[in-house]
Amino acid sequence: MSASRPRRALRWLAYGFAVLLGVPLLALGGVVAALNLPAGRAAVETLAPRLSGGMVVLHGLAGRFPDALRIREIRVADAQGAWLTIDDLRLDWSPRRLLAGALRIDLLRAGRVTLARLPVAAPATPAAGKPGSGFTLPLPVDLRHLRVATLDLGADVAGVTARLSLDGEARLASLTEGEATLTLHRLDAAGRYRVVGRLDAATLQAAVNLAEPAGGLLASLAHLPALGPLAVEAALAGPRGAAKLH
């Protein structure tokens, strides 16, 4: 469980952001003019829980549809209640770039994201091992700036409660080709974590730079409470399948 918990947390956090990205795409399928009126926004807030089986609840839709979306609160729930809450969402993106076959997001920002726990059940996914199964990007993604001012992780997610800030960017042609940068800073204690990676058909490059005091977040995730202070600078580079760690 110790090895799978951080992976599950990242997967479900990514799932929450996927919910956000789905909102403006749904807006394109409706009458954009109506969604810029109070009645249209109220209709979207009413329909969201109905269409999601009560899983997704939206409050405070604002901004300009579809390219400058603002949402005061998003709650994602399961049978036990809300497990993910996103406050003060701002999404600025370019619908015109979809005509060129790419999704460009200039800014995806949240004032606060609370991942209180892991959900009790995962969404249905295609059976593993079958040809063509698994998640793939439907089109290239150019995420210019990802920002979470406050990311609250529950003890069920990280082993201890933790509060961090998150910044990142990514340019992904697919899940197996692209580059990304992710930086996290602990807000309730000392700790900084930065990962930079690039992957293409032939090579893999990644760099990790992190520092935390004794009993930090990584020690908790690894179930090693006696682990001392950490300061790590590592680089992985070389052909895919034969990259060397330095």
Side-chain angles (χ1 to χ4, degrees):
M1 179 178 177
S2 61
S4 64
R5 183 165 60 181
R7 289 197 299 268
R8 290 183 63 205
L10 289 173
R11 184 174 70 245
W12 281 105
L13 190 59
Y15 171 70
F17 280 111
V19 172
L20 304 185
L21 296 179
V23 173
L25 296 179
L26 289 175
L28 287 178
V31 181
V32 174
L35 293 177
N36 281 296
L37 298 174
R41 293 171 179 173
V44 171
E45 293 183 15
T46 300
L47 287 173
R50 296 180 184 177
L51 296 177
S52 64
M55 290 179 56
V56 180
V57 177
L58 309 177
H59 294 293
L61 267 68
R64 182 180 65 246
F65 284 87
D67 61 323
L69 181 67
R70 310 289 182 264
I71 304 178
R72 188 179 70 249
E73 181 188 50
I74 300 176
R75 286 188 291 113
V76 185
D78 56 21
Q80 294 184 1
W83 57 271
L84 174 67
T85 304
I86 302 169
D87 296 317
D88 299 325
L89 171 74
R90 176 177 174 180
L91 176 58
D92 295 330
W93 68 298
S94 175
R96 289 180 295 179
R97 293 297 296 271
L98 290 177
L99 300 177
L103 175 59
R104 172 176 161 176
I105 302 169
D106 296 306
L107 176 65
L108 178 58
R109 185 188 188 282
R112 182 182 298 272
V113 173
T114 302
L115 186 60
R117 58 175 175 82
L118 301 179
V120 294
T125 57
K130 292 184 179 180
S133 66
F135 176 76
T136 59
L137 289 179
L139 71 174
V141 175
D142 182 1
L143 175 56
R144 299 297 179 91
H145 189 190
L146 168 66
R147 169 69 174 167
V148 178
T150 303
L151 172 61
D152 285 321
L153 301 179
D156 181 61
V157 178
V160 294
T161 58
R163 177 167 292 175
L164 307 101
S165 65
L166 181 153
D167 286 275
E169 58 182 284
R171 291 169 180 82
L172 305 175
S174 68
L175 292 180
T176 58
E177 184 174 356
E179 56 185 325
T181 300
L182 185 66
T183 303
L184 298 100
H185 287 90
R186 193 87 185 260
L187 300 178
D188 56 348
R192 57 177 175 80
Y193 315 86
R194 180 176 174 84
V195 179
V196 180
R198 182 175 182 178
L199 180 67
D200 59 31
T203 61
L204 167 66
Q205 294 180 332
V208 177
N209 188 309
L210 63 90
E212 68 174 20
L217 186 59
L218 290 182
S220 176
L221 287 169
H223 292 281
L224 297 173
L227 191 65
L230 291 177
V232 177
E233 290 188 19
L236 183 67
R240 292 180 62 171
K244 294 183 179 181
L245 180 66
H246 302 278

